[in-house]
Amino acid sequence: MLALALTGLCYGASWSTPDEVFSALSGAEPSVVISDWRLPRVLAGLVFGAALGVAGALFQNLTRNPMGSPDVIGLDAGAYTGALVALTALSGTSAQLAVGSVTGGLVVAAAIYLLSFDRGFSGLRLVVIGVAVNAMVTAVNSWIVLRADLEVAIAAVGWSAGSLNGVGWSDLGIPFTVIGVLLALMATRAHAMHQASLGDAVAVTTGVGLDRLRLVMVLVGVGCTATVTAVAGPIAFIALAAPQIGRRLAGAAGVPLLPAALTGAVLLLGADLIAQMLLAPVALPVGVVSTAIGGCYLIWLLTKEVRRA
């Protein structure tokens, strides 16, 4: 993370040396390029990547399935729907995008949960229904874009790729606060989450309230996903890959939150650097790179699961 962050602060239209970066950060030699342009982007990559990693870990623990991530089961698409409504029907301010994203994500999450609840909770059923809901919501999003004015449609399509281009300090205050509160809340429930991952019977006998815990997990997961979507658009596959990679690096039996958060930060910041360098001086949306990386990971994961079966 530190190496990628330093590289992100050094890299740009002109390369800055590490000494220049440290001088700018300490205030000895102020630099608008480093402090106001590059630093917000680097911090956004770290914090948003951590938020997506935690959201993926929460839903993979909830469903007990490595495919159970927000972008696969439709929460990203639902948050994007809410943002599209704010862009097309309202004026599309930052507050409207944030509220619309959270509302869209919660509505889709509630629909998936209700449809998958049949005489008890089943993670596999939730994933399967989530994939179907994701397809339907994606179709709705395409319809909204096609019905929108040309300028709004172009902006919406570009934003849908997921991008950290142009992120500044004014965009990050509220999202960072929301993500910080959500992660702190989930940290207090991490032990109960790991107890629940051992099985419903074990969780109940150790005093874990499963219904309340699942509600908190869904709210935190949707909140993290929707907050990132409201600022940067839907960034695919970070939430899917980070928890499983982090779990393997940590050698953990379950899907722990801290390795998922750290891995998500590394993946998103690394993908953003690749997006900036690949066709320089043109900066690609980070979602293009994360989708390519995530697609390779998904192929590997599915191949491994098929061989195990």
Side-chain angles (χ1 to χ4, degrees):
M1 286 172 57
L2 291 175
L4 288 172
L6 179 59
T7 305
L9 291 173
C10 292
Y11 181 80
S14 60
W15 180 265
S16 301
T17 65
D19 287 340
E20 292 173 333
V21 169
F22 292 130
S23 298
L25 295 180
S26 64
E29 296 181 14
S31 171
V32 173
V33 172
I34 295 174
S35 300
D36 294 343
W37 295 359
R38 297 177 187 171
L39 183 57
R41 182 172 188 147
V42 167
L43 291 179
L46 292 173
V47 175
F48 290 169
L52 291 174
V54 168
L58 290 175
F59 280 98
Q60 288 179 11
N61 274 296
L62 187 66
T63 60
R64 299 173 191 166
N65 191 311
M67 292 292 293
S69 72
D71 42 358
V72 173
I73 64 176
L75 301 187
D76 275 17
Y80 182 43
T81 303
L84 281 177
V85 172
L87 282 172
T88 55
L90 304 173
S91 54
T93 64
S94 298
Q96 290 171 350
L97 285 173
V99 173
S101 296
V102 173
T103 303
L106 287 174
V107 168
V108 170
I112 294 171
Y113 189 86
L114 291 175
L115 289 171
S116 61
F117 192 87
D118 181 20
R119 296 187 300 277
F121 178 81
S122 169
L124 178 60
R125 188 161 56 240
L126 188 146
V127 170
V128 173
I129 291 177
V131 171
V133 171
N134 185 21
M136 291 187 287
V137 174
T138 300
V140 172
N141 292 342
S142 299
W143 178 81
I144 294 175
V145 171
L146 290 172
R147 298 280 296 179
D149 294 335
L150 181 60
E151 294 81 5
V152 175
I154 292 174
V157 170
W159 183 68
S160 69
S163 176
L164 298 179
N165 298 338
V167 171
W169 289 117
S170 60
D171 304 312
L172 300 180
I174 294 177
F176 279 10
T177 302
V178 172
I179 290 172
V181 171
L182 292 174
L183 295 185
L185 172 62
M186 200 58 233
T188 64
R189 305 294 294 162
H191 179 70
M193 183 193 74
H194 291 303
Q195 290 292 101
S197 67
L198 298 175
D200 292 356
V202 174
V204 171
T205 56
T206 54
V208 176
L210 286 176
D211 291 337
R212 185 168 63 245
L213 175 64
R214 285 168 179 161
L215 178 61
V216 171
M217 291 172 68
V218 169
L219 290 177
V220 172
V222 171
C224 288
T225 301
T227 301
V228 174
T229 301
V231 179
I235 301 175
F237 285 109
I238 299 295
L240 173 68
Q244 293 299 315
I245 296 174
R247 180 180 72 84
R248 286 168 170 79
L249 290 175
V255 187
L257 298 181
L258 183 58
L262 297 177
T263 305
V266 169
L267 286 178
L268 184 55
L269 190 54
D272 188 48
L273 280 171
I274 294 173
Q276 293 180 65
M277 297 176 179
L278 204 58
L279 296 178
V282 177
L284 291 173
V286 66
V288 174
V289 177
S290 69
T291 300
I293 296 173
C296 296
Y297 167 79
L298 185 59
I299 291 172
W300 172 82
L301 179 63
L302 291 174
T303 303
K304 184 175 181 180
E305 292 297 320
V306 168
R307 287 176 179 174
R308 181 183 300 174

